[in-house]
Amino acid sequence: MIELLQTLCALPGPSGCEDAVRDFIRKEAEPYADEIREDSIGNLMIFRRGTKPCKQTVMLSAHMDEVGLICKGHTEDGCVKFGFVGGVDPRVVIGRRVLFGEVRGVVGIKAVHLTTRSERQTMPKTKDLYIDIGCTDKKSAQRKVPLGTYGVFDSQCVPFGDGMFKAKAIDDRIGCAAMLTLLKEGPAVDTWFAFTTQEEVGLRGARCAAYTIQPDLCLVLEGTTAADLAEVDAHRQVCALRSGPVISFMDRSTIYDEGICSVLRQCAADAGIPWQTKHRIAGGTDAGRIHLTRGGIRTGVVAAPVRYIHSPSCVAAIEDLNGVLELSRRFLNYMGDHDEI
């Protein structure tokens, strides 16, 4: 799965422009799928029959999109002015490489010797940044990167250190990689695999996918923020790397179904999978829209803890990533043995 994750993370897929990710997943899944649907917002919904019957309609969900950038204008001297697609901290992008299709650039800011004391004491704003694409005038920049062109971070996807993995877009290519792996190997029960769009800008695709599939229950596979960083107090760390997948009971958009949470905890205990929950109520997932669709859908989440989330260099522990896959597999096996929750 980690090799598959590397391939997925390398693909460009900012919110609203997930084409490359969707095309890759569809090509990989077609030999195994019993049914494939795509809707007008770009969701990819794949059904595969399981080895055991289940009275309930089961859906797994992960979003294909990542945070990125979009061209909003050009300077007279040939640089690109931009906005972020999704939530990005401007501090993490200065000096970073970006890609607009085949056009490379570097995020720049006013040289320090030209700044005032007050500017040096405040966090930079997006309007103060620009992207240098090597052009000498505005017309040249407009030809290379027209208005509305999407951009992504230009970042290597590599294992490093003691079992760690660094890449852009681990949120949520880990969910996509785990779902594609489960789809290929064959789920224990009939399962819809919903690869959704535009999560980073408002959980938009998930609402449409859930409305179309009408599942009885849904398990969301995600990446979630970890703040187990140097000099951060333990009570502020949310969750930690190397402590297993995160089974959340609540975040800013959802109070998760207690029945599903209980099953996930039991599956983890039975399989000897270490797990954790969030120590602070933070973030949100596609569950925020899924659980409110139609008459309501019972929803749970399994997430990988990720440092530096929504940055060019997200970091996760490979053992946690594999834990997300194994716990999801165990959940589907449970549904095959118990039929309903």
Side-chain angles (χ1 to χ4, degrees):
M1 186 192 69
I2 300 304
E3 291 181 4
L4 184 60
L5 178 61
Q6 283 184 275
T7 301
L8 284 165
C9 286
L11 296 171
S15 303
C17 189
E18 301 91 351
D19 306 57
V21 182
R22 180 173 54 252
D23 291 348
F24 173 82
I25 293 172
R26 177 163 189 148
K27 182 178 179 181
E28 290 288 307
E30 276 181 338
Y32 308 92
D34 290 297
E35 182 180 350
I36 298 179
R37 301 182 191 175
E38 288 187 27
D39 63 17
S40 59
I41 202 171
N43 292 315
L44 178 64
M45 296 162 283
I46 304 173
F47 177 73
R48 184 165 187 190
R49 298 195 183 281
T51 56
K52 299 178 182 179
C54 183
K55 293 180 180 179
Q56 296 183 299
T57 301
V58 178
M59 182 174 91
L60 265 57
S61 177
H63 66 90
M64 298 181 287
D65 61 311
E66 63 188 283
V67 296
L69 317 96
I70 192 166
C71 174
K72 295 176 64 176
H74 307 82
T75 66
E76 293 298 327
D77 48 3
C79 290
V80 172
K81 299 298 288 184
F82 68 95
F84 289 116
V85 179
V88 181
D89 183 345
R91 296 176 302 170
V92 306
V93 305
I94 298 169
R96 298 287 190 160
R97 298 183 304 179
V98 299
L99 278 171
F100 291 100
E102 299 298 320
V103 178
R104 281 188 162 82
V106 177
V107 180
I109 193 171
K110 184 193 297 185
V112 66
H113 66 277
L114 300 178
T115 59
T116 64
R117 180 186 295 272
S118 63
E119 286 175 327
R120 291 194 293 273
Q121 294 175 341
T122 58
M123 189 172 82
K125 294 180 173 59
T126 309
K127 67 181 181 64
D128 300 323
L129 307 178
Y130 58 87
I131 298 174
D132 186 341
I133 57 172
C135 291
T136 56
D137 57 62
K138 187 174 185 177
K139 288 185 177 180
S140 177
Q142 289 173 328
R143 286 194 299 269
K144 284 193 171 185
V145 182
L147 288 173
T149 303
Y150 282 98
V152 294
F153 299 121
D154 184 11
S155 176
Q156 284 188 312
C157 310
V158 292
F160 76 103
D162 186 12
M164 305 293 270
F165 180 77
K166 189 276 292 185
K168 71 172 180 65
I170 295 177
D171 171 24
D172 183 28
R173 303 292 159 74
I174 173 54
C176 294
M179 281 178 25
L180 189 50
T181 301
L182 292 169
L183 192 157
K184 286 182 174 183
E185 67 186 32
V189 294
D190 294 357
T191 305
W192 278 100
F193 297 87
F195 299 89
T196 64
T197 60
Q198 299 189 43
E199 189 267 357
E200 301 292 2
V201 291
L203 320 180
R204 297 171 184 172
R207 181 198 296 266
C208 301
Y211 192 91
T212 298
I213 294 171
Q214 302 181 49
D216 294 301
L217 58 88
C218 175
L219 182 64
V220 175
L221 308 187
E222 256 285 14
T224 192
T225 183
D228 57 330
L229 309 173
E231 300 180 346
V232 175
D233 294 335
H235 70 279
R236 300 178 62 194
Q237 291 187 4
V238 186
C239 59
L241 270 61
R242 305 184 194 280
S243 295
V246 177
I247 303 173
S248 297
F249 59 88
M250 180 180 179
D251 57 35
R252 290 180 180 173
S253 65
T254 313
I255 297 175
Y256 291 94
D257 183 84
E258 175 53 30
I260 295 177
C261 289
S262 179
V263 167
L264 289 169
R265 293 191 291 264
Q266 187 60 52
C267 288
D270 291 345
I273 302 170
W275 65 276
Q276 59 185 313
T277 193
K278 289 185 177 181
H279 300 295
R280 299 186 71 191
I281 304 303
T285 73
D286 271 339
R289 292 293 177 269
I290 293 170
H291 84 285
L292 297 176
T293 302
R294 292 187 180 265
I297 296 169
R298 300 177 67 188
T299 307
V301 66
V302 175
V306 182
R307 291 177 186 159
Y308 326 121
I309 205 165
H310 289 190
S311 82
S313 297
C314 308
V315 170
I318 291 174
E319 62 192 82
D320 294 334
L321 302 177
N322 285 326
V324 169
L325 171 63
E326 182 58 25
L327 185 52
S328 305
R329 182 187 291 121
R330 296 278 177 166
F331 177 80
L332 292 178
N333 290 342
Y334 178 95
M335 293 304 301
D337 292 336
H338 295 83
D339 205 36
E340 60 183 4
I341 296 175

